Amino acid sequence: KLIGVYSDPRRDNRRHIVSIAYALEFQSSSMTTKDGTGVPKGGDDAKEVIAVPLEEIGVKYKGEDWYADHLTILLDFKEQIMATTTAKAVVREGEIYEDVARALCEGVAEEV
């Protein structure tokens, strides 16, 4: 499922980067990795891989825990998930740019 398109020129201080963010269901039993272990590892763009519970994004894990506008992307995802499961509002604290330019794909259901 498409979460959104993020193109604000301020989102990454290295250069102007456009990201297209998708949500997917992770099934470890069918995952293949380069080393054959099936365990995700950090590579050239991340020093480590961790699992973060959805409810802790923006609460326990805030702006300083994420690179650039990755918190904004995750909060947008969290809002989309929570809109279908609960009426709770998502706390949006710690985003680098609260007015970030993005195109969200709300209410669009895709079958895989």
Side-chain angles (χ1 to χ4, degrees):
K1 179 179 185 284
L2 182 63
I3 298 169
V5 178
Y6 300 82
S7 62
D8 193 301
R10 302 169 298 171
R11 64 180 298 267
D12 191 319
N13 61 9
R14 299 173 295 180
R15 61 190 175 275
H16 186 184
I17 295 176
V18 176
S19 291
I20 301 170
Y22 291 91
L24 56 96
E25 184 176 343
F26 175 73
Q27 296 177 346
S28 59
S29 62
S30 62
M31 187 174 140
T32 304
T33 57
K34 287 181 182 179
D35 64 4
T37 64
V39 177
K41 294 181 179 58
D44 61 349
D45 66 341
K47 64 180 177 182
E48 65 180 327
V49 177
I50 62 170
V52 177
L54 186 63
E55 62 272 4
E56 293 182 2
I57 295 171
V59 178
K60 180 178 178 183
Y61 296 95
K62 296 184 179 183
E64 63 276 1
D65 297 312
W66 308 101
Y67 180 75
D69 66 344
H70 293 175
L71 177 61
T72 296
I73 295 169
L74 290 168
L75 289 172
D76 288 347
F77 169 70
K78 185 175 177 178
E79 280 183 342
Q80 290 178 25
I81 294 296
M82 292 182 75
T84 62
T85 60
T86 180
K88 290 183 182 177
V90 172
V91 177
R92 298 193 74 107
E93 293 180 9
E95 292 177 84
I96 293 177
Y97 301 110
E98 293 177 11
D99 64 337
V100 67
R102 63 189 180 267
L104 300 179
C105 300
E106 299 176 45
V108 177
E110 294 181 21
E111 291 187 26
V112 179

